[in-house]
Amino acid sequence: MIKKKPPFKRMSPPQTLALGFVLIILIGTILLMLPISTISGVSTPFIDAFFTATSATCVTGLVIMDTGTHFSMFGQMVMITLVQIGGLGFMTMATMIALVMRKRISLRERLILQESMKQNSMDGIVRLIRKVLFYALFIELTGAILLTIRWSFDMPFAKAIYFGFFHSISMFNNAGFDLFGSIHAPFNSLAGYAHDPAVNLIVMLLIVLGGIGFIVIADLLEFPKNKKFTLHTKVVLSASGALIAISTITIFIFEYSNPLTFEPLTFAQKSLGSLFQAISPRSGGVSTMDVADMRQATQFFIVILMFIGASPGSAGGGIKITTFVILLGAVIAMIRGKETIVFFRRSLSKDRVNKAITMTLLALMLIIFVSMVLSTTEDHQFLEILFEVTSAFGTTGMSMGLTQDLTTFGKIMISIMMFLGRLGPLTLAYALTSKPEKELIKYPEDKIIIG
């Protein structure tokens, strides 16, 4: 008699990832509902705790209650722990524990790690995880020290250390949670440091490093030895740099004469503000300006940036910068009459193009559908709703003020969008479908008219 495997071991890697995130969110919800998690000692309602736990685990940053004024230190530590687990991936954290305890990483666990890190093969996956953990902890520690030094001039040293570590982890994991509601004003993000070059530069660097992905960071650090970059790293770095530059100039132009944002500022302050708002929407989620005060053109442009998102294998969301670049490459190739997409003298296979198109269409349809549904349940302008939905899907965390006014149904829908954005529509689709079967019949090709 053949012994059946337990249900958990019969699950595919995408199913395991989806279930793992759900369990972490539920545990986080229970902990945030405890009276000890709030400053007032009053238990947080289930739906609000669930929304916050989802936002933290999916490293989004959308909040119903201000983190600094509603949650106690215990609640804040629960949230930042969820951010760390969600940002690095629960399987990465589990692997770290296994490595510390010197346990063997099974083939199944390697498959799940491969799925979570968006790798094409299992070769060297455990070695990559070791590097991921080392780089992440080193960058977070460095960021925490730098922020602690800066904020020690504004607050007691012990508080500066706590703020430094909390915000370094939050920014590197592209979560966007902040505690400055307890110092400045609730839901004020980093507006109190809008003109502070040190805070701006440290936070922007943490967001960029967290958004380009661990694979790229590993490639950068190994460049002195290898003397070359992979195609993935070349595309991510060049595309990210170009997008940041274009976004900075666009926001600078749109907001230059806006009396509510840039008009009162000096040229240097406008430039710094434009750069920060160009980097943060890619999944960072913090802002030094009130997004609601920006012009509609800027707000819609930020929606586009949130939709594009960060890099694969990072803590960021969106369709990913590589997907966007492949789509652009396909358009350019089609216009030039070419059959293949070429980047840096390397051609891409058709399955990469098909996957990019599928990912983009799924994301677009999802955002459009949820935005249409919420436009009937939430008493807000459509652009505000579209902004909120895209922010949730891109796990960005920016808001035009809708989050605090969401109905219960709205909170559930935005929570689902955050979950889908972190996991990825394709991963969820694979989790919900059975194993693909080989095509036994190949039908003759034909053509339909396009355009």
Side-chain angles (χ1 to χ4, degrees):
M1 183 177 179
I2 299 173
K3 188 177 179 181
K4 284 188 177 182
K5 291 182 180 179
F8 177 78
K9 290 193 175 182
R10 293 202 301 268
M11 294 170 65
S12 66
Q15 290 172 333
T16 305
L17 284 176
L19 180 61
F21 272 106
V22 169
L23 291 176
I24 292 166
I25 289 170
L26 291 177
I27 292 170
T29 301
I30 294 169
L31 291 174
L32 291 177
M33 285 179 65
L34 298 175
I36 193 177
S37 292
T38 63
I39 293 174
S40 63
V42 178
S43 180
T44 302
F46 171 80
I47 187 63
D48 292 345
F50 175 75
F51 185 97
T52 305
T54 304
S55 183
T57 306
C58 299
V59 289
T60 305
L62 289 174
V63 289
I64 298 170
M65 301 84 57
D66 181 71
T67 308
T69 55
H70 179 82
F71 290 102
S72 63
M73 183 176 286
F74 177 82
Q76 292 166 6
M77 292 306 296
V78 169
M79 289 175 66
I80 206 63
T81 302
L82 292 175
V83 165
Q84 187 74 298
I85 294 172
L88 295 181
F90 75 93
M91 275 305 300
T92 303
M93 301 299 289
T95 304
M96 178 184 71
I97 296 171
L99 291 173
V100 170
M101 299 178 67
R102 297 187 176 181
K103 287 189 174 182
R104 181 178 170 274
I105 310 300
S106 67
L107 176 62
R108 173 180 170 73
E109 289 165 344
R110 290 169 193 263
L111 285 168
I112 298 171
L113 286 170
Q114 177 191 339
E115 179 69 29
S116 65
M117 296 301 294
K118 309 299 181 187
Q119 292 294 288
N120 295 323
S121 71
M122 288 189 298
D123 292 342
I125 191 68
V126 176
R127 186 167 62 253
L128 175 63
I129 295 302
R130 285 197 184 98
K131 291 177 182 178
V132 165
L133 291 167
F134 175 76
Y135 299 152
L137 296 177
F138 177 78
I139 293 170
E140 288 174 350
L141 178 61
T142 304
I145 292 171
L146 293 175
L147 289 174
T148 297
I149 293 171
R150 169 60 190 87
W151 286 330
S152 63
F153 293 98
D154 300 341
M155 58 187 76
F157 189 65
K159 190 172 185 178
I161 293 174
Y162 179 64
F163 269 52
F165 274 89
F166 185 96
H167 291 92
S168 180
I169 294 171
S170 177
M171 301 310 158
F172 176 72
N173 287 289
N174 284 200
F177 289 99
D178 71 274
L179 303 176
F180 287 101
S182 60
I183 295 179
H184 302 134
F187 310 108
N188 207 30
S189 196
L190 294 179
Y193 292 95
H195 314 314
D196 189 309
V199 173
N200 275 257
L201 291 173
I202 294 168
V203 170
M204 283 190 291
L205 187 59
L206 286 170
I207 292 172
V208 169
L209 289 174
I212 61 176
F214 301 109
I215 304 157
V216 175
I217 294 174
D219 215 17
L220 285 170
L221 293 176
E222 291 177 2
F223 179 75
K225 182 177 68 175
N226 297 332
K227 301 299 181 183
K228 64 178 181 178
F229 289 135
T230 62
L231 177 62
H232 173 81
T233 297
K234 290 177 182 178
V235 170
V236 168
L237 292 180
S238 57
S240 296
L243 190 57
I244 289 172
I246 293 169
S247 302
T248 301
I249 295 169
T250 303
I251 293 172
F252 184 91
I253 294 171
F254 284 166
E255 293 298 313
Y256 187 86
S257 59
N258 187 347
L260 298 176
T261 55
F262 280 9
E263 190 180 50
L265 307 180
T266 65
F267 183 83
Q269 290 172 340
K270 289 175 181 176
S271 301
L272 184 64
S274 299
L275 180 61
F276 194 97
Q277 314 316 318
I279 289 174
S280 190
R282 296 277 308 288
S283 202
V286 287
S287 60
T288 54
M289 302 282 174
D290 190 345
V291 181
D293 291 336
M294 295 179 179
R295 290 197 167 108
Q296 286 190 346
T298 311
Q299 292 167 347
F300 187 73
F301 183 70
I302 289 175
V303 168
I304 296 172
L305 293 179
M306 293 190 297
F307 180 74
I308 294 171
S311 171
S314 73
I319 62 170
K320 303 297 187 293
I321 184 71
T322 47
T323 303
F324 179 68
V325 170
I326 290 172
L327 293 177
L328 280 181
V331 172
I332 293 170
M334 181 63 68
I335 291 173
R336 294 176 62 188
K338 305 289 184 181
E339 291 187 358
T340 56
I341 301 172
V342 178
F343 294 130
F344 299 99
R345 298 183 179 179
R346 293 289 186 274
S347 60
L348 294 185
S349 61
K350 288 186 178 180
D351 74 295
R352 297 292 93 185
V353 181
N354 292 337
K355 192 170 183 179
I357 294 171
T358 304
M359 175 72 183
T360 305
L361 282 177
L362 281 175
L364 270 175
M365 289 189 292
L366 192 63
I367 289 172
I368 291 169
F369 173 75
V370 175
S371 297
M372 289 173 64
V373 171
L374 290 184
S375 66
T376 64
T377 63
E378 312 302 312
D379 188 20
H380 279 263
Q381 296 294 321
F382 184 75
L383 181 56
E384 294 177 336
I385 294 170
L386 177 66
F387 194 99
E388 190 86 5
V389 173
T390 310
S391 178
F393 173 79
T395 66
T396 305
M398 284 186 164
S399 177
M400 292 173 62
L402 174 60
T403 313
Q404 293 79 46
D405 298 333
L406 286 170
T407 61
T408 300
F409 178 78
K411 292 173 185 176
I412 294 171
M413 292 300 290
I414 293 297
S415 296
I416 292 172
M417 286 299 292
M418 290 190 286
F419 179 76
L420 292 176
R422 181 66 184 100
L423 199 62
L426 274 181
T427 301
L428 187 69
Y430 293 151
L432 296 176
T433 56
S434 57
K435 291 182 180 180
E437 296 179 1
K438 289 185 178 181
E439 295 183 7
L440 301 177
I441 302 173
K442 188 173 181 180
Y443 295 97
E445 289 186 359
D446 209 332
K447 294 180 179 180
I448 58 173
I449 299 171
I450 297 176

